[in-house]
Amino acid sequence: MKRIAALLLCLFLLLLVPACRQKSIPTRPATVLQLAVQRGISRESAAGLDCFTNKVRELSGGEMAVETLPSDDVLDSLDRGCALILASNAEIARADSNFSSYTSPFYFYDYNHLTLTLNSERFRKIISDEALSLLGALPLAAFYDGNSVILSSGPLSFDTVDQFEGADLTISNDPILSDLLRGLGARVRIREEESQRLEGFCQGGDPAVECRISSLFALTELPDEQPFTVYRTFHRAQINWIMLSETARQTLTAREQAVLTEAAAYAIAANDRLVLSGEAQAIAAAEKLGGDESTVIFGEFFEPIAQVLRSLDRYNSIWNWEQHLEVQQLSIREESRPSARAGSALIGPLQQHLEPGASFQVLPLSQSIRKLPF
């Protein structure tokens, strides 16, 4: 009996070993999606992309994977069969010019207005017909990639739209912005190199200049410790998009689409947290040099600004103005208005994920399937 028992034990162990080995062998994901990444994408968006790819694998239980590859022409990569792309708004606007209108000067009130609009299901529905026709893809995520401010010394103020009239303002070479500012009566000077604009401002040669918020670290003290103001006008938002091919979407199950949707929410928060934190540090650096911060919401004056652009034939021929106006009004809430914003924090579905110490509530897959944005 002992020999028989020992023999049975040996047979059992021999059967168990290959079974254990089989469990340890990693299996290839059932669904592998290629994502073409525009070269030169920002560090923050690269971090958001890493979060996206990791979350896709995690949320799918290893059944899905996203393979990233750099691309010199992401639109061509999309045409050649890539399921996803990560690209700047300017690149997407090459195929669908309406996208340049969504980041036109002073279009959004603030960050909240922007992210709640561009990451909403209603936005995707509004743009779907033209975007699918021209791009063959729809947005999965809009990554905020920073903004610009106006620096002003001396008597120049930019608290209202009418204060641009007669003001000398040095900006980068942005045709839409220069057209608008000239339409508002400003005397616009173009100086492409940001370092030259900041140097001219700090040396007292240029009374008002535009610069990226992230460039405020390069500021130096003005002559005789002259005070200056940092006007946060939210007039030049930068956006990077993750776009999902419609052809690829149609091959995915409802659960796979839900995985992408949830992973995108995490990725947006990962990217935006880095950008907003960097901007806060840059503003703090300017304040240490004696700068006063003034937050101006020109979205309150959207109609006169839109009228200036609409009076120019070049924008009437490339923008769908009905769509442009509808999108701008999507996520406007009382919280976005100046009278209600004192001390307010980030609002909307990304709020908890962006604030330190708070938890982000992601919908279970079963609920996400019912709330797919496509």
Side-chain angles (χ1 to χ4, degrees):
M1 286 295 294
K2 290 182 179 180
R3 289 181 179 179
I4 294 174
L7 181 60
L8 291 174
L9 179 60
C10 288
L11 289 173
F12 172 75
L13 292 174
L14 287 172
L15 291 172
L16 184 62
V17 169
C20 292
R21 285 178 180 170
Q22 186 176 4
K23 290 181 180 179
S24 65
I25 296 175
T27 59
R28 181 173 173 79
T31 301
V32 180
L33 303 174
Q34 286 193 325
L35 189 154
V37 184
Q38 180 180 334
R39 293 188 187 276
I41 214 75
S42 67
R43 174 184 64 87
E44 293 83 359
S45 287
L49 177 60
D50 286 342
C51 177
F52 177 70
T53 58
N54 291 335
K55 282 296 179 182
V56 167
R57 185 178 287 274
E58 176 187 328
L59 293 169
S60 68
E63 295 177 4
M64 297 177 67
V66 175
E67 294 180 348
T68 61
L69 56 140
S71 174
D72 294 318
D73 189 337
V74 289
L75 296 179
D76 181 65
S77 298
L78 191 65
D79 291 338
R80 291 176 179 271
C82 271
L84 298 145
I85 61 172
L86 173 59
S88 67
N89 191 75
E91 185 70 10
I92 299 300
R94 285 177 49 214
D96 184 348
S97 58
N98 284 306
F99 275 80
S100 63
S101 83
Y102 307 140
T103 55
S104 57
F106 310 108
Y107 188 63
F108 291 109
Y109 281 16
D110 50 22
Y111 164 78
N112 300 327
H113 185 196
L114 178 147
T115 195
L116 289 174
T117 297
L118 299 183
N119 287 303
S120 70
E121 179 180 356
R122 291 176 63 196
F123 170 69
R124 283 181 280 263
K125 286 182 177 179
I126 290 171
I127 70 167
S128 61
D129 288 344
E130 291 192 50
L132 289 175
S133 172
L134 298 169
L135 278 164
L138 282 176
L140 191 63
F143 288 173
Y144 175 60
D145 203 35
N147 217 304
S148 295
V149 293
I150 295 175
L151 301 176
S152 176
S153 61
L156 282 178
S157 297
F158 297 97
D159 293 308
T160 60
V161 168
D162 61 336
Q163 289 177 326
F164 283 102
E165 186 171 358
D168 292 303
L169 182 57
T170 304
I171 66 172
S172 64
N173 187 19
D174 181 332
I176 302 178
L177 181 60
S178 61
D179 285 344
L180 173 62
L181 293 176
R182 288 189 173 106
L184 293 174
R187 293 189 291 267
V188 176
R189 180 181 180 185
I190 304 298
R191 188 177 286 174
E192 184 59 33
E193 290 296 323
E194 190 154 80
S195 59
Q196 293 180 2
R197 297 198 302 276
L198 289 173
E199 182 180 358
F201 179 74
C202 293
Q203 293 179 354
D206 294 321
V209 301
E210 178 212 32
C211 75
R212 299 288 296 166
I213 295 178
S214 57
S215 297
L216 291 174
F217 289 110
L219 276 177
T220 58
E221 288 188 358
L222 273 64
D224 302 322
E225 297 183 351
Q226 182 179 353
F228 65 95
T229 304
V230 180
Y231 287 95
R232 300 192 68 175
T233 50
F234 210 79
H235 67 277
R236 197 200 285 266
Q238 300 290 318
I239 298 293
N240 293 323
W241 299 90
I242 294 182
M243 308 285 290
L244 173 62
S245 158
E246 176 64 11
T247 301
R249 185 194 69 81
Q250 291 178 359
T251 68
L252 301 175
T253 65
R255 182 180 184 278
E256 289 172 333
Q257 293 180 51
V259 166
L260 294 180
T261 301
E262 290 196 12
Y266 280 105
I268 293 164
N271 171 91
D272 292 10
R273 183 194 297 113
L274 289 174
V275 176
L276 294 170
S277 174
E279 289 187 339
Q281 293 173 31
I283 293 292
E287 290 176 339
K288 286 183 179 180
L289 293 174
D292 292 324
E293 179 192 353
S294 177
T295 300
V296 185
I297 301 183
F298 280 119
E300 287 287 312
F301 309 97
F302 174 74
E303 289 185 9
I305 290 172
Q307 287 174 5
V308 172
L309 292 176
R310 198 165 188 175
S311 67
L312 302 173
D313 291 339
R314 72 175 71 181
Y315 304 114
N316 285 322
S317 63
I318 64 173
W319 291 352
N320 179 333
W321 275 97
E322 181 179 352
Q323 189 167 289
H324 176 80
L325 298 173
E326 184 178 5
V327 168
Q328 199 272 345
Q329 294 292 313
L330 271 184
S331 300
I332 292 178
R333 300 180 178 181
E334 193 62 30
E335 294 92 331
S336 294
R337 299 184 180 278
S339 59
R341 291 184 73 258
S344 65
L346 294 175
I347 60 173
L350 297 180
Q351 174 183 356
Q352 293 175 316
H353 202 34
L354 290 166
E355 290 182 340
S359 60
F360 181 55
Q361 301 298 321
V362 177
L363 289 173
L365 287 178
S366 59
Q367 293 183 42
S368 292
I369 289 173
R370 293 196 296 271
K371 292 181 175 289
L372 286 175
F374 306 103

